[in-house]
Amino acid sequence: MFLFPIAFSLSVLAADTGKDVRLGTAACSLHDSTIVINTGRMVRVYTVTGNGLKTTRLTIGAKRPATDGSEGSISGENTADWNLGLTGQAEWLGTTINTGNDSGLTSPYIAVVSEFDYPQAGVRLRHTVWAYPGSGIRTQLELKANSHPIADAVLSRDDQQIESVPVPYPIRSITAFGYYNDTQNRDEDTTFILKDARSPFTPGTSVDWASGLVTDRGGAGWIVVKESHKCVNQPGVWSGNFTLAPGSILITGAGMGPQDLSRDAFRLAWATWTIPYTGDTTDALLALKAFDRQRYPVHPGDVYMMANTWGYSKTPADGQYAAREESILQEIASQADLGIDVQQIDDGWQGSHYNQWKPAVSAVAVLSGKGPGLFRYDVYPDGWDRVKSFAQQQHVALGLWAAWTIPEEDLRWNYDHGGFHYVKLDFSNLNTKTKLDDFMAKVRRFVRYTGNTVRINWDATENAPRMGYFYGREYGNIYLENRKPAIPGNVVYHPYLVLRDAWQLSKYMNLRDFQLSVMDPDTVARDKSDAYGYSHAYCTAITLMGSPLFFGLTHCYTNEARAEVKHLLGVYKRHRDSLAAGYVFPVGEIPDNASWTGFQDVLPGKAEGYLLVFRERLNKKPSLALDLAFLRNTDLELTDLESGQVSRIHVNARGAATFFIERPASYRFYRYRPLTHFTIHNPRTP
């Protein structure tokens, strides 16, 4: 199957006792029927039973066994970590241990692959563990049919248990978290993108909306994440829930029903991340971000700024007109001047239809400002030749938009002829496992065809089952939201709402993986938004801790605006590689148009980092104390990256420092460095 890193055959899967594999701080061993996995941060021990694999020990830290109660296990002599309705006994076909990196799409790991046959159920099961050195593990089941029909009970229930994570008492609390999709209908003061809820550990409770849980045992705990396309408002395909059982967390939702199993190939279930941490809540979030970065590492093609013409349009026909060659050539020249890296050609390059995927010669449409009748215009009369040549001359990379139904041969043709290294795939409705797997297999083949150089932009703007937030990011980042100047009203640009989405994303996610919209505030309707009260630099700075996306026609910037944006981008580009290596945390108050707010970018293993601090337009306080992550009892040297001015602030015993910004609707972009003896509890991250 398309996500399986190493090809195995049954002849390879003979039981291999006594095998040991090491990778960095990680080590895995198989002796008789016991598998010991040690990442250097956690130990998980599996035992083969008559039903599969059972976790017999789970410990935070590299030493074993534990004697302080920090160790968890699953009771029952003949149970397994999964319960899929597989009748009868399981026959263990063997376990192999190897290293891999999923064809270069994830960080190096140790892969532990165990296979079982359930002859009475007519099912073969494969259990895979990816152990990431210095971090946590990722587990995943794969299933295939051995006979037809398979037993009726297989995968026929909503509570398909795919994993069990032992979490011993005492548990102080558990925080569930998840994110909403359908962002084009969540552009209001009351429609937050994040949902998280903290509650006491209550056995029997189920959480069906969350993508992850953070347990707090007091100074240590476990984070459990379902690697799926689930969103708070979109359950997706059999994505299940988290059930709190006495002494463990049960993860349900295999991602498939009995109708999805075949004899031809294994079908992948959703994967689970199990991540240990020690320390407080901020340490837990760092552990989550560090594991997420190992699972979805920063690709060389991920650090970029993009421009896309669609954001200016009032109607779909206007947007398609802006994607024509004449417009794109003008925009490429503008991006080269501003220092923007990528010009993406959106819907319209193929004409006004969605059934052929070569550049259209011409198109006919009713356009705003062109009169009431049909208007014919040139699209790409010479194919991609002129655009490709001019982009190369201007040192601007090209991106392309397409519907998710575009055939794979057309993806390859446009890559070969147009040189597109960024492809946004839109309109998807992945409401069955077959659709999802076929689509992802097509994407994987295409990305590998390009030598893993193409990056995919996943669209989260609608409510249909798409990628979600924790799935598919080995291929690229997430296009978060449509924001426009005036029409339609549900996506009008409000700077504080774009900032709020980014701020909330940065709590649990790596913000670098999200395209954040930059709008020209001069174009935004004053009767619908207060964007006019913010500068062009401010509207750009909102996005700098993520992946900036200029959504509109940048050649329409005034000279003054152009100079302002160009200066900031020049500063940003000198630091963006370092910024991308860090982990971004929200700072201050949640943005509400009257807050002190911002981001802290923590560089792994270092005391220094970056701060991006905003005083919003309606805020009346010229100074405020903001809590910072991992810093205590120190003086910080702040270098204003735009002005070059150097200043000093004190961080007190609880990690708070007072910042000053004279005028509202302003920001500061700092590099910080401790000057005095201080306490820092930023652990070495992988």
Side-chain angles (χ1 to χ4, degrees):
M1 288 295 292
F2 62 92
L3 280 181
F4 200 66
I6 305 171
F8 290 93
S9 65
L10 290 180
S11 61
V12 177
L13 281 168
D16 184 3
T17 58
K19 185 168 184 179
D20 296 272
V21 173
R22 292 184 174 274
L23 179 67
T25 61
C28 297
S29 64
L30 169 64
H31 295 277
D32 297 324
S33 60
T34 299
I35 303 167
V36 179
I37 301 173
N38 187 338
T39 71
R41 289 278 180 91
M42 63 173 284
V43 175
R44 187 165 188 169
V45 180
Y46 291 99
T47 299
V48 177
T49 75
N51 282 340
L53 284 181
K54 179 180 73 173
T55 299
T56 53
R57 187 161 66 246
L58 184 66
T59 307
I60 296 173
K63 295 182 179 180
R64 52 183 173 82
T67 58
D68 60 356
S70 65
E71 180 179 298
S73 64
I74 298 173
S75 61
E77 290 298 321
N78 205 35
T79 58
D81 287 359
W82 56 84
N83 182 2
L84 302 169
L86 303 178
T87 56
Q89 292 291 293
E91 178 187 349
W92 179 37
L93 301 179
T95 295
T96 63
I97 307 175
N98 287 280
T99 59
N101 63 8
D102 193 21
S103 300
L105 294 171
T106 191
S107 300
Y109 53 74
I110 296 178
V112 184
V113 183
S114 303
E115 194 160 311
F116 296 87
D117 187 39
Y118 295 81
Q120 187 175 337
V123 170
R124 182 159 292 175
L125 181 147
R126 183 180 283 163
H127 177 274
T128 299
V129 181
W130 289 357
Y132 287 95
S135 189
I137 66 173
R138 175 185 183 272
T139 57
Q140 187 170 37
L141 298 180
E142 297 176 78
L143 299 169
K144 66 182 294 188
N146 274 353
S147 62
H148 286 295
I150 61 173
D152 292 338
V154 174
L155 301 174
S156 61
R157 301 165 297 123
D158 291 334
D159 60 342
Q160 314 153 348
Q161 181 183 317
I162 60 171
E163 175 66 291
S164 182
V165 178
V167 179
Y169 285 95
I171 297 292
R172 290 185 176 180
S173 67
I174 287 184
T175 300
F177 62 90
Y179 288 94
Y180 291 86
N181 68 359
D182 196 26
T183 54
Q184 65 185 9
N185 290 306
R186 302 191 65 81
D187 188 30
E188 300 176 6
D189 191 63
T190 56
T191 52
F192 298 100
I193 198 171
L194 168 66
K195 179 177 180 178
D196 57 355
R198 184 175 182 178
S199 64
F201 180 76
T202 306
T205 301
S206 289
V207 182
D208 63 359
W209 54 264
S211 290
L213 303 179
V214 179
T215 71
D216 178 10
R217 298 186 59 253
W222 297 96
I223 305 163
V224 182
V225 173
K226 170 69 73 67
E227 184 183 304
S228 78
H229 66 175
K230 175 193 284 289
C231 298
V232 173
N233 53 339
Q234 173 51 255
V237 179
W238 296 74
S239 63
N241 57 39
F242 299 96
T243 298
L244 310 180
S248 63
I249 298 172
L250 307 181
I251 296 93
T252 66
M256 68 188 86
Q259 70 278 5
D260 294 305
L261 297 190
S262 74
R263 301 180 68 178
D264 299 328
F266 280 98
R267 180 79 76 184
L268 286 166
W270 300 120
T272 301
W273 303 351
T274 303
I275 308 162
Y277 76 91
T278 55
D280 59 17
T281 299
T282 309
D283 294 300
L285 297 177
L286 178 63
L288 171 60
K289 293 171 192 286
F291 185 91
D292 182 276
R293 182 69 57 80
Q294 286 182 294
R295 172 67 184 100
Y296 300 122
V298 177
H299 183 278
D302 285 339
V303 184
Y304 63 91
M305 293 179 287
M306 178 180 283
N308 184 303
T309 58
W310 192 264
Y312 105 98
S313 62
K314 296 180 180 179
T315 68
D318 290 340
Q320 291 176 335
Y321 184 64
R324 73 196 190 280
E325 180 182 275
E326 178 185 359
S327 172
I328 295 300
L329 291 173
Q330 195 171 18
E331 283 297 297
I332 289 172
S334 177
Q335 311 327 332
D337 176 65
L338 288 169
I340 297 172
D341 306 291
V342 183
Q343 177 62 55
Q344 190 169 64
I345 304 175
D346 211 287
D347 185 1
W349 60 270
Q350 81 290 357
S352 57
H353 40 68
Y354 302 99
N355 55 10
Q356 75 87 26
W357 296 101
K358 300 288 174 57
V361 173
S362 63
V364 177
V366 177
L367 300 172
S368 302
K370 298 292 184 181
L374 293 174
F375 176 77
R376 178 173 290 277
Y377 59 93
D378 288 339
V379 183
Y380 288 90
D382 298 316
W384 294 129
D385 291 348
R386 290 187 65 200
V387 164
K388 180 180 180 182
S389 176
F390 188 60
Q392 289 174 340
Q393 293 174 19
Q394 297 296 311
H395 304 289
V396 173
L398 289 176
L400 192 67
W401 171 97
W404 73 297
T405 53
I406 181 173
E408 184 179 345
E409 59 267 26
D410 289 330
L411 282 170
R412 295 186 180 197
W413 187 93
N414 285 291
Y415 170 80
D416 291 337
H417 291 80
F420 298 102
H421 284 274
Y422 298 88
V423 178
K424 179 183 176 184
L425 295 173
D426 204 354
F427 300 162
S428 62
N429 184 9
L430 307 173
N431 57 1
T432 71
K433 196 63 165 64
T434 298
K435 287 183 182 179
L436 177 69
D437 285 357
D438 289 350
F439 179 49
M440 296 302 286
K442 177 175 74 173
V443 169
R444 185 179 181 89
R445 288 191 301 266
F446 171 57
V447 170
R448 295 191 68 178
Y449 173 77
T450 71
N452 286 359
T453 61
V454 158
R455 305 304 286 160
I456 305 297
N457 307 131
W458 302 118
D459 187 287
T461 63
E462 297 183 354
N463 189 236
R466 294 187 175 179
M467 286 302 106
Y469 293 85
F470 289 93
Y471 185 69
R473 282 188 284 120
E474 66 264 50
Y475 303 113
N477 62 12
I478 295 173
Y479 171 84
L480 186 63
E481 53 200 12
N482 292 317
R483 295 295 177 256
K484 292 191 175 184
I487 300 174
N490 60 301
V491 295
V492 171
Y493 174 70
H494 301 273
Y496 87 95
L497 291 178
V498 173
L499 178 57
R500 187 182 73 185
D501 287 345
W503 193 90
Q504 291 192 315
L505 281 167
S506 71
K507 184 172 183 179
Y508 297 99
M509 308 295 299
N510 280 311
L511 195 57
R512 175 61 48 192
D513 292 350
F514 292 85
Q515 291 186 302
L516 306 175
S517 298
V518 182
M519 294 293 297
D520 178 351
D522 292 341
T523 67
V524 180
R526 293 194 169 208
D527 61 336
K528 297 181 178 181
S529 169
D530 70 346
Y532 63 86
Y534 290 96
S535 68
H536 290 81
Y538 187 105
C539 293
T540 302
I542 287 171
T543 70
L544 296 184
M545 291 293 188
S547 183
L549 173 67
F550 289 78
F551 205 47
L553 299 177
T554 64
H555 78 266
C556 294
Y557 274 138
T558 65
N559 290 336
E560 294 78 9
R562 192 170 201 84
E564 193 176 311
V565 172
K566 186 174 180 178
H567 171 70
L568 176 58
L569 295 188
V571 170
Y572 164 70
K573 290 178 79 170
R574 290 195 291 273
H575 294 270
R576 65 178 177 178
D577 287 339
S578 182
L579 285 162
Y583 297 98
V584 178
F585 292 84
V587 168
E589 305 159 317
I590 186 170
D592 64 1
N593 220 18
S595 295
W596 271 85
T597 189
F599 306 98
Q600 180 182 358
D601 190 308
V602 177
L603 301 182
K606 297 183 180 180
E608 59 192 63
Y610 293 89
L611 286 162
L612 190 52
V613 182
F614 298 88
R615 180 185 171 192
E616 294 190 293
R617 190 177 72 85
L618 302 180
N619 183 273
K620 300 185 183 301
K621 300 177 181 178
S623 64
L624 194 71
L626 306 179
D627 291 340
L628 302 179
F630 307 116
L631 296 169
R632 305 286 188 273
N633 297 318
T634 183
D635 289 335
L636 291 183
E637 178 186 85
L638 299 180
T639 301
D640 187 311
L641 296 180
E642 291 189 79
S643 70
Q645 182 178 352
V646 178
S647 59
R648 178 182 294 195
I649 60 171
H650 179 70
V651 183
N652 66 20
R654 70 177 181 88
T658 299
F659 292 84
F660 174 82
I661 298 179
E662 183 179 3
R663 293 186 300 275
S666 299
Y667 70 93
R668 295 292 183 269
F669 190 13
Y670 295 117
R671 177 85 182 241
Y672 69 82
R673 182 174 66 89
L675 289 174
T676 58
H677 177 73
F678 64 96
T679 301
I680 180 169
H681 60 286
N682 174 9
R684 291 190 301 273
T685 51

